[in-house]
Structures are given as structure tokens and as C-alpha cells.
Amino acid sequence: MERGKSYQKLLDKMLRIENLGDIIYKSLTSKTKNANLRLAYERLALNERETARYIENEILALDKNHSILVNGVILNLAKIVCGILTARQLVWILKTILERRMYSKWYNIYKDKNREFWRLLLNHEKLQHELLSPFWDN
């Protein structure tokens, strides 16, 4: 049972990560002058929200009674912080997070729980790298 609880906690953590990612991408969209990069950030913000829905569905599939709590205070604080930080600082944070390739690591551990779900998460991570690498490699 404890193993199931740790998986549930991981899903809750992933949901928080996606919500924060959405905030970061939205903030970068408003701070970026390059139209193509702004479009990439907009697409990725949408993808963060879509991935959050996949995670919510996985949480509810495991436990229909699990309450999905979105901490509005933390998200509002994150919006304020992202509003204060420069685009360069936000990009550094984003790069640091994406370099970890968390979903790739977790995929190798948890893919047998729900292969389709984990494939979607892996595709989400790949999309971020594909869209951002051309801008970051300059």
C-alpha cells in the first residue's frame, strides 16, 4: 500500500510542476520579443495545461475519492515571482528544470503502471526540448 501512496505523491508533485510550468511559459510569453519563440512558449503553456489534465485523470483513475488540490496561494505567489523575474532568469530556471529530464527518468521506473499515460508524459518532455533547443542552442 505504501508503494501506491508514493506513486500518488509523485503524481501530485507532477501536477504541481505542470501548473508552475504553465505560469513560467505564460510569463515568458509576455516578456519575449521574438515572435517565433513567443509562439513556442504559448504552445508549451497549452501543452502544460493538457499534461496537467492527463495527470489529473491518472490520479482519479487510481483513486476516484482523491481530492486534487491546487494550492491557489502558491500559484499566485509563483505568478508574482515570475512577474518580477526577467526573461533571462526564467529561461535559466526553465533550462535547469528541463535538463533534469524528470519524465524520462520516471518513465523508466513507472511505465508499467500505465504505458499510454507515461508515453504522453515522455512526448510532452520531448516536445519542450524540440521547440526550445533551436532557440537555446544559439
Side-chain angles (χ1 to χ4, degrees):
M1 186 65 177
E2 183 59 37
R3 186 153 170 84
K5 287 242 184 239
S6 66
Y7 185 63
Q8 188 74 44
K9 285 183 181 185
L10 174 66
L11 293 172
D12 289 336
K13 176 181 178 176
M14 290 165 41
L15 185 57
R16 287 189 303 274
I17 290 168
E18 294 306 311
N19 288 328
L20 291 171
D22 180 39
I23 291 168
I24 291 171
Y25 284 126
K26 284 179 182 174
S27 185
L28 281 167
T29 298
S30 68
K31 295 178 182 207
T32 302
K33 290 179 175 52
N34 181 311
N36 290 329
L37 183 54
R38 197 169 44 249
L39 287 173
Y41 288 146
E42 288 172 357
R43 179 171 179 201
L44 290 170
L46 178 64
N47 195 253
E48 293 288 305
R49 292 187 298 275
E50 185 177 88
T51 302
R53 282 192 299 278
Y54 297 149
I55 295 167
E56 288 173 357
N57 290 339
E58 180 72 0
I59 290 170
L60 293 174
L62 294 172
D63 180 2
K64 293 194 185 317
N65 296 320
H66 184 80
S67 61
I68 298 174
L69 299 175
V70 176
N71 192 327
V73 173
I74 291 175
L75 293 179
N76 285 330
L77 181 60
K79 288 177 188 176
I80 292 168
V81 170
C82 286
I84 294 169
L85 295 175
T86 66
R88 177 176 276 150
Q89 291 168 320
L90 290 171
V91 166
W92 180 84
I93 291 168
L94 193 56
K95 279 184 180 183
T96 302
I97 293 167
L98 292 178
E99 285 173 358
R100 293 180 185 165
R101 295 190 182 265
M102 293 181 297
Y103 287 152
S104 293
K105 291 175 186 173
W106 291 332
Y107 173 85
N108 291 325
I109 298 168
Y110 297 107
K111 65 185 172 205
D112 291 335
K113 289 193 174 287
N114 181 340
R115 284 194 182 266
E116 178 61 18
F117 168 70
W118 283 99
R119 185 191 60 75
L120 290 168
L121 295 177
L122 204 55
N123 288 341
H124 167 65
E125 182 177 83
K126 288 177 184 177
L127 177 65
Q128 292 176 94
H129 287 275
E130 288 171 11
L131 290 180
L132 296 175
S133 290
F135 297 102
W136 289 351
D137 291 341
N138 292 338

